[in-house]
Amino acid sequence: MHRKSSGLLVLAVVPAFLALPTVTAPAPRPHPVDARLAHLSLPLTPAASRALDGSPAATRALVSEPLVDSGPRSTAPFVGVGVTWRPGTTVAGLTVKVRVRSAGAWGGWNQLATLDALAGADGSTPVDRQGTEPLLTDTADGVQAEVFSPSGVLPADLRLDLVDPGTSAADRHLQGRTPAATASARSSQPTIISRAQWGANESYRGGSTRYSGTVKAAIIHHTATANGYSADAAAAQIRAIYAYHTRSLGWSDIGYQFLVDAFGRVYEGRAGGVDQPTIGAHTAGFNIDTFAVSALGNFDTASAPPAMVEAISQLVAWRLTVAHRDPLGRATLTASGGTPSLTRYANGVTVSLPTIFGHRDAGWTACPGGNLYATLPGIRPRVAELMGSMIYDPTASPSSATTPGGTPITFSARTDSDRDWSATITSVGTGSTVRSFSGSTSGATFSGTWDLRDAAGQQLPAGSYDISMSSGDALPATVRVVLKDPAPVTPPSDGSGAVPLPPVNAVYTTPGGPVTVNGRVWRTRCEPYASTSATRCWTDIVATTTRKTTQGFATTKDWTFNNLTYRDVDGPGWATNVLSADGEHLSGGRRWKTSCSTATAGWRTCTSYIWATVVSRQSSPKGYVFRQYQTWQFNNMVWLRTAA
């Protein structure tokens, strides 16, 4: 509660040599701001009743006369306005024009572009409404809308949606961006005004944030809204866009990942993390693997202020640095989830576009406005200047592999010129470097292939590994890959198929236990064998064993023999042993299959399987039943020396 002063003026005598302290009131704290929405119906005009009589005069009238006209209407104060309709009834060729009254004067007519419903839904949830882009102003209290349709057909349930985004005293205290200190500042993150700071009411969001695998390109937009807004009004306009996208149209969140105002301030748009590859709702057909920067204003009718263009450049430079993308290069994108009337490319078509491109390059739209679009040829080299020397497009394929014996992983990247390169592979779990590569680029590209082994040629255990690529003064790049144990296989109900294989690792050759590996409990015992140069180890595992008895099948859970392994450092003649040659064999009346690794550092490993009869317990409507079936079953693994 605030109390009024009594009106009395109290004077105090203060010595002239004393300075009174200056007390600065704290800035208001940001808070979620509630928006208010109003809906106005749109009446038909006489032209609508003549639309379908088929006469040439009526057809000509469809182009020049609106089928819907709200007439000038006084309203409660609002900041945003759009025209919406029932989803699924969008009409091709529809033209929507809106004008507003601000400070007692009517402004000019603004043609509003149609938004893509699929873009707003992210392909995951249905939308509540379809509609136009919103028109924004500082504050208005009157509106008029006209709708034209050359076909004479209108969408269903047309209405005007007015948005009052509410007020926040914190708006006038929002801080601007932090410019880069030098031309090649490694594009550090600029100051980004967070959702909390601009007053986003998080209860308006619906569903969960969705993510792409990466970011390949930046798409430049404009909001196609009024220019000349004050610095204090920018946050309110962003709240109006947010409320219109979520509460009028039923989108899960604001469509853009970032917005930039005329004063060079950057705002966080869609939730999910400014450095994460969130899937937005901004460019029909191209929301995946991209991020959108939307300039607040209409840049068909005005030039983008230099502060705005520089802020866009610094934001894009930072975000492309995080993704290691070449701002002067091109991105390969696949159209997905677009509407044919709004996107230039059919779904499934692969397109090569500049890494930094305008909305109009992908859709049938004037966005981001002719004046802002004309700055893109200058923005690209400015972004490259800010980013400095980089390693671009780091990849690893496949991103995961099974160990041991999985598909080798190939890594690659590009630089800005031919130069020497190096790569190190580090275990995320232990932090130790397990493998290193080096070479020289060819045509500014390089690649290497990792066979999932360490420098000594030993198969590496399951886990996450980072492949870090560097080249001179270029900013290094890192990609993460995962090595996985063989996936367990459940026998099908008909008794056919394979059974899980036990893990192959040091549990077979390191005495001790019990030890838990892949959720199973093991123990290992070792002893000298034949000579001091050889060791024999056998393992037991706690397992449920089913065996056939005279009374039927019996099941017990106890230590069970699992494997016997010889580690022979002298390397006797293995040439005739069934465990040492790739392929299938018959030996001792049994069918065997062996897979051997490539020799590395004088050693190789061979894994053998035997065609065996397996008993499995399976559920049925009558309870558990036991089935016997044949499958390849792990038998043994040996280390072989290629030369004595």
Side-chain angles (χ1 to χ4, degrees):
M1 177 181 295
H2 297 283
R3 297 182 178 179
K4 296 181 179 179
S5 73
S6 64
L8 297 177
L9 179 63
V10 179
L11 299 179
V13 178
V14 180
F17 57 86
L18 294 180
L20 293 175
T22 300
V23 178
T24 302
R29 299 185 64 177
H31 59 87
V33 182
D34 291 328
R36 291 181 293 275
L37 277 76
H39 311 301
L40 304 179
S41 60
L42 290 173
L44 298 177
T45 67
S49 62
R50 301 193 304 269
L52 301 179
D53 72 1
S55 68
T59 301
R60 288 193 297 273
L62 294 178
V63 179
S64 59
E65 296 184 45
L67 299 186
V68 170
D69 186 351
S70 68
R73 301 177 69 169
S74 295
T75 67
F78 65 90
V79 168
V81 57
V83 174
T84 67
W85 51 85
R86 187 184 305 160
T89 64
T90 300
V91 175
L94 196 73
T95 298
V96 177
K97 295 182 178 181
V98 172
R99 65 173 183 156
V100 299
R101 184 181 64 201
S102 296
W106 286 95
W109 287 98
N110 299 268
Q111 183 170 325
L112 306 185
T114 299
L115 289 167
D116 190 346
L118 293 177
D122 300 343
S124 60
T125 56
V127 295
D128 296 335
R129 306 276 292 176
Q130 289 179 252
T132 67
E133 292 273 12
L135 174 67
L136 304 181
T137 184
D138 269 10
T139 302
D141 60 2
V143 65
Q144 182 178 3
E146 294 181 343
V147 181
F148 302 78
S149 176
S151 66
V153 180
L154 291 169
D157 189 24
L158 277 167
R159 76 184 190 201
L160 272 168
D161 284 22
L162 307 179
V163 183
D164 173 6
T167 59
S168 172
D171 287 353
R172 65 175 60 95
H173 298 279
L174 294 176
Q175 299 299 310
R177 64 185 173 84
T178 301
T182 64
S184 57
R186 290 298 192 196
S187 51
S188 57
Q189 179 179 326
T191 298
I192 298 176
I193 297 170
S194 69
R195 292 170 61 89
Q197 289 172 315
W198 58 256
N201 188 328
E202 297 298 349
S203 68
Y204 295 169
R205 291 198 294 121
S208 57
T209 303
R210 298 173 64 231
Y211 296 90
S212 301
T214 186
V215 161
K216 295 181 179 179
I219 308 179
I220 309 303
H221 294 250
H222 71 163
T223 56
T225 56
N227 301 305
Y229 50 85
S230 65
D232 295 348
Q237 292 201 358
I238 292 171
R239 290 196 297 271
I241 297 173
Y242 175 51
Y244 181 75
H245 283 179
T246 55
R247 297 185 61 193
S248 283
L249 301 175
W251 292 8
S252 64
D253 199 349
I254 192 170
Y256 314 110
Q257 282 92 347
F258 302 97
L259 299 99
V260 178
D261 68 19
F263 310 97
R265 295 178 298 184
V266 178
Y267 300 79
E268 177 186 11
R270 203 168 187 82
V274 293
D275 60 347
Q276 298 300 309
T278 56
I279 298 177
H282 46 82
T283 308
F286 295 94
N287 288 314
I288 295 175
D289 293 344
T290 64
F291 70 95
V293 181
S294 194
L296 194 63
N298 187 331
F299 301 103
D300 267 328
T301 59
S303 296
M308 172 181 277
V309 174
E310 177 62 14
I312 291 173
S313 299
Q314 293 193 22
L315 172 65
V316 171
W318 164 71
R319 193 62 190 86
L320 292 183
T321 296
V322 173
H324 283 270
R325 301 302 178 191
D326 183 358
L328 303 178
R330 300 183 71 83
T332 300
L333 303 170
T334 301
S336 174
T339 299
S341 62
L342 298 176
T343 183
R344 292 177 180 272
Y345 303 99
N347 291 334
V349 173
T350 299
V351 183
S352 175
L353 292 166
T355 303
I356 304 170
F357 65 92
H359 184 186
R360 65 173 61 179
D361 294 320
W364 300 114
T365 174
C367 182
N371 294 316
L372 181 56
Y373 188 79
T375 68
L376 295 187
I379 286 177
R380 295 184 185 106
R382 173 59 177 153
V383 170
E385 180 184 32
L386 289 165
M387 291 175 66
S389 182
M390 293 278 298
I391 287 182
Y392 300 122
D393 304 329
T395 60
S397 181
S399 59
S400 64
T402 300
T403 183
T407 302
I409 293 175
T410 298
F411 57 88
S412 63
R414 295 190 303 108
T415 60
D416 50 13
S417 61
D418 278 336
R419 55 172 73 194
D420 293 338
W421 63 270
S422 62
T424 58
I425 301 176
T426 304
S427 168
V428 175
T430 66
S432 59
T433 297
V434 299
R435 194 74 177 269
S436 298
F437 298 82
S438 62
S440 299
T441 60
S442 176
T445 64
F446 65 87
S447 65
T449 301
W450 177 40
D451 60 3
L452 318 184
R453 297 172 178 274
D454 63 16
Q458 298 299 311
Q459 289 276 1
L460 287 163
S464 296
Y465 294 83
D466 281 343
I467 305 176
S468 299
M469 294 167 264
S470 59
S471 178
D473 63 347
L475 188 67
T478 299
V479 292
R480 180 160 294 179
V481 297
V482 177
L483 301 189
K484 302 180 295 184
D485 288 315
V489 180
T490 302
S493 59
D494 62 0
S496 63
V499 295
L501 300 179
V504 178
N505 49 38
V507 73
Y508 293 115
T509 56
T510 303
V515 60
T516 300
V517 179
N518 295 338
R520 305 298 297 273
V521 180
W522 307 71
R523 68 184 179 190
T524 303
R525 292 168 288 172
C526 297
E527 65 181 12
Y529 179 70
S531 70
T532 58
S533 62
T535 301
R536 177 171 64 183
C537 300
W538 59 94
T539 58
D540 301 316
I541 185 172
V542 175
T544 299
T545 303
T546 302
R547 67 183 188 280
K548 191 172 184 179
T549 69
T550 56
Q551 288 79 32
F553 290 95
T555 301
T556 59
K557 185 173 183 179
D558 201 350
W559 286 109
T560 302
F561 174 80
N562 174 261
N563 203 353
L564 185 68
T565 297
Y566 297 85
R567 184 179 178 98
D568 193 332
V569 296
D570 283 343
W574 284 95
T576 59
N577 192 296
V578 72
L579 299 178
S580 66
D582 284 327
E584 294 189 21
H585 317 274
L586 287 175
S587 179
R590 303 298 296 274
R591 183 179 169 194
W592 302 76
K593 180 171 65 175
T594 303
S595 175
C596 293
S597 69
T598 302
T600 304
W603 288 89
R604 63 177 177 149
T605 58
C606 291
T607 305
S608 64
Y609 308 86
I610 189 171
W611 188 253
T613 299
V614 177
V615 176
S616 70
R617 188 178 74 167
Q618 301 171 1
S619 60
S620 73
K622 297 181 180 180
Y624 289 112
V625 297
F626 295 92
R627 298 182 183 275
Q628 293 187 155
Y629 59 96
Q630 288 187 308
T631 184
W632 286 112
Q633 191 172 37
F634 176 84
N635 174 260
N636 206 350
M637 185 178 74
V638 295
W639 283 259
L640 305 178
R641 196 173 175 86
T642 57

